Amino acid sequence: MIKALISFIFILSLALAALAQAPAPLTEKDFVRVDADGSKGFTYPYYLYVPPEVRDDKTEGKAHTILVLPNNTGKLDDDVAVHEADVKKRMTMAVAISSALKTAVLMPVFPRPKSDWKIYTHALDRDTMLTDKKEYRRLDLQLVAMIDDAIDRLAKDGFKFDRKVLINGFSAQGMFANRFTFLHPDRVKAAAIGSPGGWPIAPVEKYEGKSLRYPIGVADFKKVSGHKLDIATLRKVPLFIFVGDEDDNDSVPFDDSYDQDDRDLINPLLGKMPVERWPISERLYKQAGLNAQFKLYPGIKHTVTPEMRDDIRVFLAKYAD
């Protein structure tokens, strides 16, 4: 009985110690909302947090890093306030990774419209890139403008920040992070990409003689982005791409992510499930000479586990300075 009590007290003390070490969630007083500014290239607001680990380090000449976390509300709504409320909620939890990496955190408030539901903005899909509706088109360029604005703002406070950012995302956020990195490899230090909709964009124009258009591949990359894929720069960007081997969250069957022509190509050519496509994707990234680490987590469904979080932190920490 005494041994059991001692064991219980020991376990409880470890739990309390862990809680004591865990950073408290942020409040709205801790991070800054930056209003939309069309004159600077972004028509939606963004949120910015600079942790004490950065605030207290004004070493002359030292360049700090921004970690970009794309927003993903997980639902459709024409009210941008709904998406902003989700961003604020997510920002309260940014303290752990921000403090661990000693980076600032930037999260955009991009909409995901219900009335134009096929435009999957939070995944930076084909419709988002090609739509004529200026309120949704080229959100990748708006994010670049937000990053530049944040760098300028922080410079006024005496901080120097690298123009290249870290970017991390899971699910639709992972799709955004993956595609943004391909679109702007010159602005990305490293990218952690989790479960990106069943298929990370392939760095090739063709596979098995079949043309792969964006976002399956890069066959019409110039049409979508306005420039050729900068494969030489992309090869210099470290990538960590991961998924659980029981993750069946696949965006391919849904019209807001892919068209029927895409499905008719993907399913017979690449596989009907994300895990089936995984080895093909890994091989294509390797053959293209990309610096990509692929990891499959056994027994894991569509979720981010503590092990995944640890691996993300370890990976991004290599490039945070």
Side-chain angles (χ1 to χ4, degrees):
M1 182 68 180
I2 294 175
K3 288 183 178 180
L5 180 60
I6 293 173
S7 178
F8 172 77
I9 293 172
F10 177 70
I11 293 171
L12 180 60
S13 65
L14 288 178
L16 291 173
L19 286 173
Q21 294 173 2
L26 301 175
T27 69
E28 291 187 31
K29 296 178 181 179
D30 297 311
F31 47 81
V32 175
R33 180 189 192 272
V34 179
D35 293 338
D37 190 338
S39 68
K40 294 183 178 180
F42 53 98
T43 56
Y44 296 99
Y46 70 87
Y47 281 76
L48 183 65
Y49 170 64
V50 181
E53 290 81 0
V54 174
R55 288 282 182 194
D56 295 340
D57 184 2
K58 285 194 175 183
T59 304
E60 186 175 352
K62 180 176 180 178
H64 298 281
T65 301
I66 293 174
L67 170 64
V68 172
L69 302 175
N71 69 308
N72 174 28
T73 314
K75 62 182 179 180
L76 301 158
D77 203 298
D78 288 329
D79 187 354
V80 177
V82 171
H83 305 292
E84 182 162 4
D86 183 74
V87 167
K88 287 193 286 187
K89 180 180 178 181
R90 291 174 185 268
M91 284 297 295
T92 64
M93 306 308 296
V95 61
I97 190 166
S98 181
S99 295
L101 298 178
K102 298 181 181 180
T103 60
V105 169
L106 185 154
M107 188 177 293
V109 181
F110 290 141
R112 187 182 172 190
K114 185 175 182 179
S115 54
D116 295 302
W117 63 273
K118 289 189 72 174
I119 303 176
Y120 198 169
T121 49
H122 291 175
L124 206 57
D125 74 333
R126 185 178 184 84
D127 294 312
T128 304
M129 295 296 293
L130 294 177
T131 181
D132 291 330
K133 297 188 175 183
K134 62 181 181 180
E135 62 266 38
Y136 308 131
R137 193 167 187 268
R138 297 311 301 264
L139 296 182
D140 62 310
L141 296 179
Q142 292 209 37
L143 180 55
V144 170
M146 291 173 178
I147 293 167
D148 288 341
D149 182 71
I151 292 171
D152 290 342
R153 288 175 179 274
L154 292 167
K156 293 176 182 177
D157 290 336
F159 296 98
K160 180 181 179 182
F161 273 80
D162 196 319
R163 66 187 299 273
K164 291 186 178 183
V165 301
L166 301 176
I167 188 166
N168 171 39
F170 182 80
S171 194
Q173 292 170 299
M175 296 161 78
F176 193 109
N178 184 207
R179 296 164 185 178
F180 180 85
T181 301
F182 270 59
L183 291 162
H184 304 282
D186 61 317
R187 301 304 305 268
V188 179
K189 276 188 172 183
I193 300 159
S195 188
W199 176 255
I201 182 172
V204 295
E205 296 185 5
K206 290 184 177 181
Y207 177 69
E208 299 290 335
K210 302 290 185 180
S211 180
L212 306 181
R213 71 176 191 173
Y214 180 95
I216 309 171
V218 297
D220 63 346
F221 195 83
K222 187 173 182 179
K223 173 184 176 181
V224 170
S225 68
H227 59 83
K228 292 182 179 180
L229 175 67
D230 186 354
I231 189 68
T233 301
L234 184 60
R235 287 182 178 129
K236 298 176 184 178
V237 182
L239 307 172
F240 176 49
I241 306 174
F242 62 94
V243 72
D245 71 354
E246 294 183 10
D247 190 338
D248 58 1
N249 189 280
D250 187 10
S251 65
V252 173
F254 298 98
D255 288 337
D256 61 354
S257 298
Y258 292 92
D259 295 335
Q260 186 59 48
D261 289 344
D262 297 326
R263 284 189 284 278
D264 291 342
L265 176 68
I266 291 171
N267 291 329
L269 183 66
L270 306 173
K272 294 183 178 180
M273 297 298 292
V275 176
E276 289 181 62
R277 305 174 194 134
W278 196 251
I280 298 174
S281 182
E282 184 174 9
R283 185 169 68 251
L284 292 177
Y285 273 63
K286 183 177 181 180
Q287 290 173 349
L290 300 193
N291 182 11
Q293 174 191 352
F294 279 70
K295 186 165 183 177
L296 198 61
Y297 291 83
I300 303 301
K301 296 184 182 295
H302 191 65
T303 187
V304 180
T305 66
E307 181 185 2
M308 289 175 174
R309 290 192 183 94
D310 289 342
D311 288 346
I312 292 167
R313 280 194 291 266
V314 169
F315 169 75
L316 293 178
K318 297 176 185 177
Y319 312 102
D321 292 332

